[in-house]
Amino acid sequence: MRKISVVYDVFESPVGMLYLIFSQKTLTGITFKKPADIAFKKGAAPKGFLSELQDYFHGIGKSFNQKTKFLKGTDFEKKIWSSLKDIPFGETRTYKWMAEKAGNPMAMRAVGQALSKNPIPIVLPCHRVIESDGSIGGYSSGVKIKVRLLEMEYYAKKH
């Protein structure tokens, strides 16, 4: 059995240093902290994805074409994470909307828990999910980063 090689690269963004985790050329994670797993070695992210990130943070790119894969997560979590792609750039949806989309309108808390474990933030835009009353809600990397990402997208969408 062949062991899967997992590498990480570093990307300096307006919201802080991002650690991009890849298995082969497939994105499996983005974190704001250096991966603690000693099995991860420094590698190079695909140039096309780095270009997409640059465009996103400059307000030019509105979506990502990078292939992604979940290495962990329940079926429910993966369903929630995958549905994040349906939230358009510069727009928000509610936890309730996400729960309804998952087929369980009362699962708002479970949606929040799943989003807190999103392994690929920004690309899978959990920052676009807010409370039904319009308040920001939580964000695993901090509410300030969530607010900054939303502000960047709203500004880019207007201009």
Side-chain angles (χ1 to χ4, degrees):
M1 188 162 92
R2 199 171 135 232
K3 187 177 176 185
I4 296 174
S5 171
V6 177
V7 299
Y8 75 92
D9 201 355
V10 181
F11 181 86
E12 196 170 332
S13 81
V15 293
M17 200 65 71
L18 301 178
Y19 295 88
L20 314 172
I21 303 166
F22 282 85
S23 175
Q24 274 41 47
K25 300 230 180 267
T26 302
L27 181 66
T28 60
I30 295 178
T31 67
F32 288 85
K33 296 178 183 161
K34 186 175 181 180
D37 190 329
I38 57 172
F40 292 5
K41 294 188 172 30
K42 181 85 170 75
K47 289 185 187 334
F49 178 59
L50 294 175
S51 179
E52 286 182 348
L53 274 176
Q54 287 282 1
D55 288 350
Y56 171 80
F57 284 112
H58 285 109
I60 302 166
K62 311 266 191 273
S63 63
F64 295 94
N65 296 314
Q66 174 61 48
K67 183 177 175 190
T68 60
K69 181 179 180 180
F70 304 124
L71 299 181
K72 296 179 183 176
T74 66
D75 289 343
F76 178 78
E77 289 169 339
K78 291 175 183 179
K79 186 176 191 176
I80 294 299
W81 300 333
S82 294
S83 68
L84 290 166
K85 296 175 188 175
D86 297 335
I87 306 173
F89 178 89
E91 295 183 21
T92 56
R93 298 293 184 267
T94 63
Y95 293 96
K96 182 172 178 51
W97 181 88
M98 294 290 295
E100 289 169 351
K101 191 157 182 58
N104 190 345
M106 301 309 290
M108 283 99 57
R109 277 202 139 109
V111 166
Q113 288 297 311
L115 293 177
S116 74
K117 298 175 187 176
N118 177 8
I120 312 174
I122 301 171
V123 171
L124 300 178
C126 54
H127 62 276
R128 295 180 189 155
V129 181
I130 61 171
E131 300 282 348
S132 293
D133 66 4
S135 60
I136 291 295
Y139 191 64
S140 61
S141 300
V143 174
K144 285 183 181 180
I145 291 175
K146 182 174 184 171
V147 169
R148 179 74 177 114
L149 291 169
L150 289 172
E151 288 173 346
M152 286 174 16
E153 288 188 14
Y154 291 152
Y155 180 81
K157 189 171 179 174
K158 283 180 143 182
H159 295 92

